[in-house]
Amino acid sequence: MVEACEGSAPGEVAVKASVFVGTSLDGFIARANGDLDFLPPGGGEPHGYDEFMATVDALVIGRKTFETALSFDPWPYGAKPVFVLSTRPLVAAPREAVVERMSGAPAEIVSQLTARGVRHAYVDGGSTIQQFLQAGLIQRLIITRVPVLIGDGIPLFGALRRDIALRHVATRAHSSGLVQSEYVVVANQVDG
Ligand SMILES: NC(=O)c1ccc[n+]([C@@H]2O[C@H](COP(=O)([O-])OP(=O)(O)OC[C@H]3O[C@@H](n4cnc5c(N)ncnc54)[C@H](OP(=O)(O)O)[C@@H]3O)[C@@H](O)[C@H]2O)c1
């Protein structure tokens, strides 16, 4: 579904941005050293990732998430355009990867994506998700919790200047113990 978002020019449909992420029950997306060993191998029981990816026409990921993706074989994003946020040149990606560096405030990134015709972006990486949420530029969150506590690590969420109200859409419990909750961000919460 394409949704017109506040801030787009007349006649222009702004980018819808979604998060699809796996966390420990205590809310970490990776260990402090970036290790993902607490997540089930290969993503575990199917929980909608492929179906979600089919709706996405580009990814916006932080440089650290990009470097994790580079360690996967094969390249995990196929031929989808991947916009990597970084303030410095990127290390080389595999030949099949479609990668471009971008830098700037989330609103500037979204403007560039809109101009490029992106309609649904998958935003990934802890600090990247936090910035886009803070800027009011995430519309949907799909969070899959893994039944483990790891105590410390890279958090999915962080400090906020003000509350972000969410509407719960659904929670799906999987037999392996994965619990996936989907939320939409309540509109009109753009931070200055
Ligand atoms: N569990 C999961 O589903 C999941 C999903 C994604 C990632 N992860 C893990 O999470 C970890 C990475 O998360 P993270 O929070 O540490 O980092 P991240 O968000 O992936 O990357 C942060 C980096 O992105 C760049 N960046 C972010 N916003 C920018 C902007 N507006 N303009 C320019 N550059 C920008 C900066 O790179 P520079 O320093 O180069 O400027 C920054 O240091 C990795 O271990 C990854 O494997 C887990």
Side-chain angles (χ1 to χ4, degrees), residues 21-22 29 63 65 68 85-88 104 124 126-128 131:
V21 70
I29 61 169
R63 190 258 308 162
T65 297
T68 299
L85 302 187
S86 181
T87 53
R88 41 187 146 142
D124 208 9
S127 67
T128 301
Q131 279 180 59

Side-chain angles (χ1 to χ4, degrees), residues 56-175:
V56 161
D57 45 21
L59 290 96
V60 178
I61 64 176
R63 190 258 308 162
K64 294 179 184 175
T65 297
F66 169 63
E67 289 180 357
T68 299
L70 288 177
S71 69
F72 296 153
D73 186 15
W75 171 248
Y77 305 125
K80 300 255 189 212
V82 179
F83 297 98
V84 179
L85 302 187
S86 181
T87 53
R88 41 187 146 142
L90 302 178
V91 298
R95 202 182 337 199
E96 67 271 26
V98 181
V99 168
E100 186 178 322
R101 184 175 74 87
M102 280 188 179
S103 179
E108 294 165 26
I109 303 296
V110 165
S111 295
Q112 290 186 58
L113 297 179
T114 302
R116 302 279 288 268
V118 173
R119 292 287 172 258
H120 185 197
Y122 175 4
V123 176
D124 208 9
S127 67
T128 301
I129 292 169
Q130 290 176 25
Q131 279 180 59
F132 277 71
L133 269 174
Q134 182 98 254
L137 294 171
I138 299 288
Q139 282 76 44
R140 186 163 64 134
L141 297 161
I142 301 170
I143 300 166
T144 305
R145 282 165 290 153
V146 176
V148 63
L149 302 171
I150 65 170
D152 189 20
I154 298 171
L156 172 57
F157 298 119
L160 290 171
R161 284 189 290 270
R162 63 177 189 175
D163 295 353
I164 295 176
L166 307 173
R167 180 171 61 79
H168 178 249
V169 175
T171 291
R172 298 172 273 270
H174 294 267
S175 57

